[in-house]
Amino acid sequence: MRRGFRLAPLLLLLGAADAEPALQLPQIDLIRVHKAARIMELWTGDRLVHVIEHIQLGDEPTGPKRFEGDERTPEGRYEIDWGNPQSRYHLSLHISYPSAQDRAYAQARGRSAGGMIMIHGQPNALRAGRMPGDWTDGCIAVSNTEIEALYQAVPEGTPIEISP
């Protein structure tokens, strides 16, 4: 099992694209997202080690993701199962949505549950700063500095709990 997702050394030398100071995190073994509060808690054991504020969600942030294209961010317990260093959004960590229950709910209604839900940075085309408001298709967006730290500190298999 990999200890975490590793950035190319060049990215580390260049630093964050949005000019925030570097964020150093210990290995994270639980992520808790509180959608309404727009925060992401990072846990190591029983200790809260960092809170990321001002997370950005899907265009329809209220309620759980049910179907492909509904622009909602999932709610429930999932895990981080892989990372993408070639993401269109600086870096990204994949959330294991949809679960078997999510798929069954959608299929019972003749729909697809969707997928490719990530924690990611800002669009690569954005030279600095952050997109305003909630803008993803159901993902969780953070700053580029924050996703760089998460990419280093979050190993495959890390649980993520997403609550309303």
Side-chain angles (χ1 to χ4, degrees), residues 53-96:
E53 298 179 327
H54 311 294
I55 63 170
Q56 297 165 291
L57 305 171
D59 285 331
E60 295 291 333
T62 304
K65 182 163 194 62
R66 295 292 190 199
F67 309 112
E68 182 174 12
D70 66 9
E71 306 277 321
R72 293 185 175 170
T73 301
E75 295 173 3
R77 187 172 174 93
Y78 303 95
E79 68 179 41
I80 302 300
D81 53 4
W82 53 271
N84 181 3
Q86 302 299 318
S87 174
R88 295 182 307 159
Y89 302 98
H90 195 60
L91 295 166
S92 59
L93 297 172
H94 185 259
I95 298 171
S96 64

Side-chain angles (χ1 to χ4, degrees), residues 5-122:
F5 302 97
R6 299 291 175 216
L7 290 172
L10 179 59
L11 282 176
L12 292 174
L13 291 173
L14 293 175
D18 49 359
E20 293 177 48
L23 175 61
Q24 298 293 324
L25 297 170
Q27 182 172 318
I28 301 304
D29 56 29
L30 174 64
I31 300 170
R32 285 193 176 126
V33 173
H34 303 279
K35 288 171 43 175
R38 298 297 192 281
I39 63 169
M40 178 183 294
E41 297 175 347
L42 306 175
W43 293 80
T44 298
D46 61 356
R47 188 170 62 102
L48 176 63
V49 296
H50 188 74
V51 176
I52 296 176
E53 298 179 327
H54 311 294
I55 63 170
Q56 297 165 291
L57 305 171
D59 285 331
E60 295 291 333
T62 304
K65 182 163 194 62
R66 295 292 190 199
F67 309 112
E68 182 174 12
D70 66 9
E71 306 277 321
R72 293 185 175 170
T73 301
E75 295 173 3
R77 187 172 174 93
Y78 303 95
E79 68 179 41
I80 302 300
D81 53 4
W82 53 271
N84 181 3
Q86 302 299 318
S87 174
R88 295 182 307 159
Y89 302 98
H90 195 60
L91 295 166
S92 59
L93 297 172
H94 185 259
I95 298 171
S96 64
Y97 175 89
S99 66
Q101 183 179 358
D102 295 322
R103 278 190 296 278
Y105 181 91
Q107 287 174 350
R109 288 150 183 83
R111 308 271 308 269
S112 167
M116 290 303 290
I117 301 298
M118 314 287 264
I119 300 171
H120 60 68
Q122 300 298 302

